Amino acid sequence: MVQKVLEVEKLKVGINDDGRKIAIVNGISFTLEKGETLGIVGESGCGKSMTSLSLMGLLPPGVEWLEGDIQTHDLHFKKFNKQDWRKVRGKRIAMIFQEPMSSLNPVYTIGKQIMEMILSHEHVSKQQARDRALEMLKLVGIPRPEQVLDEYPYQLSGGMRQRVMIAIALSCNPEILIADEPTTALDVTIQAQILELMKKLQEQLHMSIVLITHDLGVVAEMCNRVIVMYAGEIVEEAKVVDLFDETKHPYTKGLLASLPDIADEKEYLSSIPGIVPAPENMPSGCRFAPRCPNVHQRCMEAPPLFDVKGSKVKCWLYEHGDSEVVM
Amino acid sequence: MEIKESLLRVENLKKYFPVKGGILGRKEIKQIKAIDGVSFDVQQGETFGIVGESGCGKSTTGRTILRLLEPTEGKIFFQGKNIAELNKSEMRKLRKDIQIIFQDPFASLNPRMKVREIIEEPLINFEVTDRSEREKRVLEVADQVGLTKAQLSRFPHAFSGGQRQRIGIARALISKPKLIIADEPVSALDVSIQSQVLNLMRDLQKEFGLTYIFISHDLSVVKHFCDRIGVMYLGKMVEIAGKNRLYEKPLHPYAEALLSALPSSHPLQKKQRIILSGDVPSPSNPPNGCTFHPRCFKCMDMCKTVNPTLQPVSDQHSVSCHLYHLGQEQSAAGELI
C-alpha cells in the first residue's frame, strides 16, 4: 500500500481586499506519496508558487490562507502558529528556490548557513554540525568541500549555489523536498547536472519531491505524476506518461502543442489565443472557457474534476468518463 | 541552395571590457574578453541563430553589430560597407536599417511614454518630419503586430508581457529595417505566449523580407525558428551550421554536450546524456589553448596549448576544434561519459 506523506485538501489562498476575498489558489486538493516526484506545472500566475509557499507556511504579507487544510501524518498545518512552523520547516519539509543567487545570505559563509539549519533542529555540538555540513557538501558533489565551507556565496557559480541550497535543504534529512523552479535560472548544461543530482539523492534518501516548474521537458525528465494548474485551479492530474500520451484537458493540449519540438519541422507553432485572466476578473464558469477551442454551452458552469481512467480532468468533455465528445 | 548576397558579414570581431583596479581604481588591470574573434555572415532573408549559455558573449555580439557597444577590433560589413568605421551620425542614420528587439519587455519600454510615442520615436529620430505621415505609419505598424488603435493611447504598464513584446517589435519595424537583431525576444514569456510572438515574427519576415539575427539560449526555440545556427562558447563561435545539420550531428564536443543536455520531450524517451563537469570559466581569465578543453570529454594534448580556429569542414558547416582539422575524426567517436 502506498504511503501518503502529504495531503492537501481544498486549499484556498488569496488576497483579502476589504472583505472581498480574491482567491489566487482556488480550492485545490492533492496528495503526495512516499518516494514519488510530483510535478506541478503551469504558466506564470497560475498559483503554483503560492501553493508551494503555503506548504511551507511562507505566504507573503497580504496573502491569506482562506480555507482548507494541509496535513502530513498527524500534523494539521491549518492550526499552526509560528513556533509549530519552525519545527516543521527544514526538518520535515524543506524547500529550494528558483534564485540561488538571492536565496543565500551574502554575509555568512556557506558552512555557517548549513550549520544554522542543523543547529536549529538538532541537539548537536558546533563541531558535529560542521562535520555534518562538510558531509552534505560532499553529498551534493561540490569540489574542494573543505574550502567551500569557509567561502561566501559570491565566490560560487550559479550551479554551485544551487547545490549548496540543496545541501542546506537536505541537511536535516527531510521527508519532503519542495523544489520551486530549481533549474529555471540555470543554463541547460548546469540544469542537466542539477536534475541528475536530485534524482540520485532522491533514491539515496527516499524523499518525496514536489517539483514546481513551467518546463514540460523537466517534467518529462523527473516526475512520476503531474498536476497541471490553470488560473488557480487544478485542471488535470495524471501519471506522467498519460499526460504526454493521452493528454485530456484542452489547456494541457494547447500547452504541449505550443512547445517547439526538436524532432518536428513545423513552420508555425500552434498557440493558445488570449491571456490568463486576472484573479479579480475570473470568468464565472470554466476558467479556461474564453481561450478554449472546445468551448460549448455547458462551460458556462464550472466543471468538477472528473475521474477518467486513473487521471483527473476538470472539463465537461469528460463528464461521461473517457467517451470524449469531439466538437 | 541558391547563393544569395551576404547582407551582413562580421570578421574577427572583438569586444574587450576593461577591468579597473589599483588604489584609485583608474588603472586597467585586466580585460574581460566578452567576444574574442567572432566571424560569420548572414544572408539576405534568412534567420541566423546565435546560441550559447549565459556569459558566452551572444548578447554582446548583437549589441556590438549595432554599435551600441563599440567594437575593440574587427570589421562589420553591412551591404558591403564596413560600419565599424562609420562616425556617430553616420551610424545613427544606418540604424534605420538595423533594428533590435530586446529580451525584457518590462525594462525596454519607457513607462512614462504612451505606446503611440514609443512606436513613433524612431521616425522622429530618422527625421520623418511630416506628422500625418508618422501617424499613418504608426497605425499601419500597430495593425501589423496586432495592437488596436485604442491601445496606442495607453501606457506600457497596462500590457502583459506578450503584448509588450509586440510593442517592441512595432518599434523595431517602423523604420522599415532590413535586419532585425532579436536578443532573447521570447525568453521572458510563457510558452503559450512565446508561440504567438514567434508566429508573428515569422509572418513579418515573410511579408517584409526581413533578415533576423536571433539570439537565444533556448535550443528548441532556435531549432524551430532559425535557418542557420552559430554556437558560442566563452566569446568564440565554436560551430556554425544549417540547423538540421547541427541538430542531427553536432561536431564540436561543446555543441554535442549542449544538445544532449536538452530535457527530453517525452518521459519514455531516455537520452544518452553527456554531463559536462564544472562551470564555464571566467572570460577575464580564459584557459590556455582551446577555451573549452578543461570541460571537454574529448580533450587531447594539443588542445591544452593550441587554440583552434573556426574552419569549414564541408559546405556550410564550420567548426573550431582540432579533432576535425587533423583528420582524427574516427578516434574521437564513442567515449561518452
Side-chain angles (χ1 to χ4, degrees):
Chain A
M1 161 139 182
V2 273
Q3 194 191 344
K4 287 177 193 164
V5 291
L6 188 77
E7 265 179 280
V8 176
E9 241 191 81
K10 299 197 177 92
L11 177 70
K12 207 168 188 179
V13 174
I15 311 164
N16 201 338
D17 181 17
D18 280 337
R20 197 166 76 104
K21 287 175 181 166
I22 300 168
I24 303 174
V25 175
N26 193 24
I28 64 167
S29 309
F30 63 88
T31 57
L32 178 68
E33 287 160 17
K34 186 154 184 68
E36 79 165 343
T37 301
L38 175 72
I40 303 184
V41 277
E43 298 182 286
S44 0
C46 72
K48 57 190 192 301
S49 282
M50 282 302 152
T51 307
S52 70
L53 291 175
S54 25
L55 298 179
M56 288 289 282
L58 289 174
L59 288 173
V63 180
E64 285 174 31
W65 185 314
L66 301 175
E67 280 168 41
D69 196 5
I70 301 174
Q71 190 183 344
T72 169
H73 304 291
D74 48 336
L75 298 174
H76 292 267
F77 290 2
K78 175 87 190 181
K79 300 189 190 111
F80 270 20
N81 58 28
K82 270 190 176 164
Q83 219 73 53
D84 298 328
W85 273 118
R86 290 206 153 181
K87 282 182 210 149
V88 171
R89 266 184 224 140
K91 181 80 186 137
R92 293 219 184 173
I93 307 183
M95 183 159 182
I96 50 179
F97 298 88
Q98 173 171 358
E99 272 292 333
M101 316 290 161
S102 51
S103 34
L104 288 169
N105 190 330
V107 298
Y108 290 120
T109 59
I110 301 297
K112 190 158 179 165
Q113 297 189 48
I114 306 179
M115 283 161 66
E116 184 188 7
M117 173 77 115
I118 300 167
L119 290 170
S120 64
H121 286 296
E122 281 167 39
H123 297 285
V124 290
S125 72
K126 274 199 166 166
Q127 188 53 48
Q128 283 169 314
R130 196 181 156 88
D131 292 344
R132 171 91 74 85
L134 182 65
E135 206 180 291
M136 292 313 299
L137 288 183
K138 284 182 190 156
L139 183 74
V140 297
I142 293 210
R144 28 171 219 102
E146 286 88 358
Q147 284 108 296
V148 170
L149 214 49
D150 294 314
E151 285 181 359
Y152 290 89
Y154 78 91
Q155 290 168 294
L156 304 178
S157 66
M160 284 302 143
R161 282 181 226 194
Q162 197 60 289
R163 284 176 195 261
V164 170
M165 285 301 297
I166 295 176
I168 295 177
L170 301 186
S171 57
C172 290
N173 206 0
E175 194 173 22
I176 301 165
L177 177 69
I178 299 163
D180 188 354
E181 304 265 9
T183 57
T184 308
L186 306 175
D187 284 315
V188 274
T189 58
I190 308 296
Q191 165 170 297
Q193 292 175 1
I194 298 288
L195 294 181
E196 206 68 21
L197 173 71
M198 284 176 62
K199 270 192 220 165
K200 193 191 87 186
L201 292 176
Q202 181 177 32
E203 260 170 49
Q204 232 170 327
L205 308 171
H206 310 290
M207 300 181 283
S208 309
I209 298 180
V210 180
L211 179 69
I212 291 137
T213 180
H214 70 283
D215 187 334
L216 286 157
V218 172
V219 167
E221 196 82 5
M222 297 287 291
C223 299
N224 306 111
R225 249 171 359 111
V226 192
I227 286 171
V228 182
M229 285 186 74
Y230 181 78
E233 293 179 337
I234 293 177
V235 294
E236 182 160 355
E237 182 187 327
K239 291 196 192 84
V240 69
V241 179
D242 293 345
L243 189 84
F244 284 85
D245 284 349
E246 288 170 50
T247 317
K248 295 190 174 64
H249 199 282
Y251 174 64
T252 321
K253 283 182 186 166
L255 210 55
L256 283 167
S258 53
L259 285 177
D261 188 348
I262 293 274
D264 192 14
E265 259 328 92
K266 277 185 291 199
E267 192 170 13
Y268 287 93
L269 296 168
S270 68
S271 63
I272 307 173
I275 53 170
V276 183
E280 66 275 13
N281 231 336
M282 280 297 163
S284 56
C286 169
R287 296 185 162 189
F288 186 59
R291 303 176 74 190
C292 183
N294 300 333
V295 64
H296 55 294
Q297 201 55 40
R298 201 72 207 262
C299 307
M300 299 298 286
E301 196 185 324
L305 264 177
F306 293 110
D307 279 301
V308 189
K309 286 200 293 186
S311 300
K312 285 182 186 156
V313 200
K314 198 182 189 67
C315 178
W316 286 116
L317 293 179
Y318 299 90
E319 191 179 1
H320 310 291
D322 59 340
S323 62
E324 183 182 347
V325 189
V326 180
M327 291 280 127
Chain B
M1 209 174 118
E2 63 180 303
I3 295 169
K4 287 179 266 183
E5 171 206 355
S6 282
L7 183 69
L8 180 84
R9 194 167 85 244
V10 175
E11 275 179 18
N12 197 27
L13 190 67
K14 292 183 182 173
K15 174 69 195 172
Y16 296 168
F17 292 101
V19 179
K20 300 264 165 88
I23 300 169
L24 294 171
R26 288 183 192 160
K27 211 169 78 184
E28 193 178 311
I29 50 169
K30 58 180 175 181
Q31 286 178 321
I32 291 184
K33 298 179 174 176
I35 42 177
D36 195 12
V38 164
S39 307
F40 59 92
D41 57 351
V42 181
Q43 310 297 329
Q44 170 71 41
E46 78 168 345
T47 303
F48 183 78
I50 302 180
V51 277
E53 298 181 284
S54 26
C56 72
K58 53 191 191 303
S59 290
T60 309
T61 306
R63 283 168 197 219
T64 311
I65 292 170
L66 249 180
R67 284 186 56 203
L68 297 175
L69 295 169
E70 286 302 324
T72 309
E73 211 185 301
K75 292 176 181 152
I76 306 159
F77 291 99
F78 180 71
Q79 296 184 311
K81 195 159 71 176
N82 184 2
I83 61 174
E85 286 170 347
L86 298 181
N87 65 28
K88 263 199 169 152
S89 66
E90 287 171 325
M91 190 59 216
R92 202 181 162 112
K93 282 192 200 120
L94 193 102
R95 293 211 182 99
K96 193 168 177 285
D97 290 332
I98 312 179
Q99 283 287 320
I100 185 164
I101 303 169
F102 295 98
Q103 167 172 11
D104 189 340
F106 293 84
S108 58
L109 302 177
N110 187 337
R112 298 183 192 182
M113 285 166 83
K114 285 182 182 160
V115 172
R116 177 192 307 276
E117 294 162 352
I118 292 174
I119 301 178
E120 187 184 14
E121 202 181 21
L123 287 185
I124 300 173
N125 281 346
F126 300 128
E127 291 159 4
V128 178
T129 43
D130 183 6
R131 212 161 209 238
S132 59
E133 159 101 34
R134 290 205 302 257
E135 174 72 18
K136 205 181 112 208
R137 273 297 286 156
V138 170
L139 288 176
E140 209 175 284
V141 172
D143 181 53
Q144 280 153 359
V145 301
L147 292 168
T148 63
K149 201 176 170 188
Q151 284 174 326
L152 291 176
S153 329
R154 295 161 77 180
F155 288 95
H157 71 85
F159 294 86
S160 67
Q163 285 171 314
R164 282 175 206 228
Q165 210 52 305
R166 285 174 196 265
I167 300 170
I169 294 173
R171 175 176 61 186
L173 211 59
I174 197 157
S175 64
K176 298 189 176 160
K178 300 192 171 75
L179 174 68
I180 291 184
I181 298 171
D183 187 359
E184 303 263 14
V186 295
S187 309
L189 308 176
D190 278 319
V191 280
S192 68
I193 308 299
Q194 168 179 300
S195 55
Q196 293 174 7
V197 172
L198 288 175
N199 288 347
L200 171 68
M201 285 180 65
R202 179 148 282 171
D203 277 336
L204 296 171
Q205 179 170 38
K206 281 192 175 163
E207 199 171 338
F208 303 109
L210 290 171
T211 307
Y212 288 123
I213 293 181
F214 190 90
I215 300 167
S216 178
H217 71 283
D218 188 326
L219 295 159
S220 25
V221 168
V222 167
K223 166 84 190 325
H224 166 73
F225 199 71
C226 301
D227 303 312
R228 278 191 317 130
I229 295 163
V231 182
M232 281 188 80
Y233 184 77
L234 214 61
K236 291 198 160 75
M237 209 49 108
V238 296
E239 186 164 354
I240 298 178
K243 65 168 167 189
N244 292 327
R245 276 292 267 287
L246 183 70
Y247 281 72
E248 270 156 33
K249 194 171 183 302
L251 295 181
H252 196 282
Y254 175 66
E256 206 180 313
L258 191 67
L259 290 171
S260 84
L262 204 74
S264 41
S265 52
H266 191 279
L268 295 181
Q269 173 201 354
K270 291 286 171 238
K271 293 177 82 164
Q272 189 168 32
R273 183 155 292 154
I274 304 160
I275 302 271
L276 287 179
S277 58
D279 293 305
V280 184
S282 158
S284 68
N285 187 19
N288 287 332
C290 171
T291 47
F292 184 59
H293 89 260
R295 302 177 76 193
C296 185
F297 51 96
K298 290 176 178 173
C299 179
M300 305 175 292
D301 277 345
M302 76 177 296
C303 304
K304 292 173 187 157
T305 49
V306 186
N307 199 351
T309 52
L310 190 69
Q311 283 173 19
V313 283
S314 63
D315 186 34
Q316 301 284 327
H317 197 160
S318 309
V319 61
S320 165
C321 180
H322 292 308
L323 288 171
Y324 303 99
H325 305 312
L326 297 171
Q328 292 187 354
E329 200 167 335
Q330 278 102 5
S331 72
E335 303 176 59
L336 295 182
I337 291 178

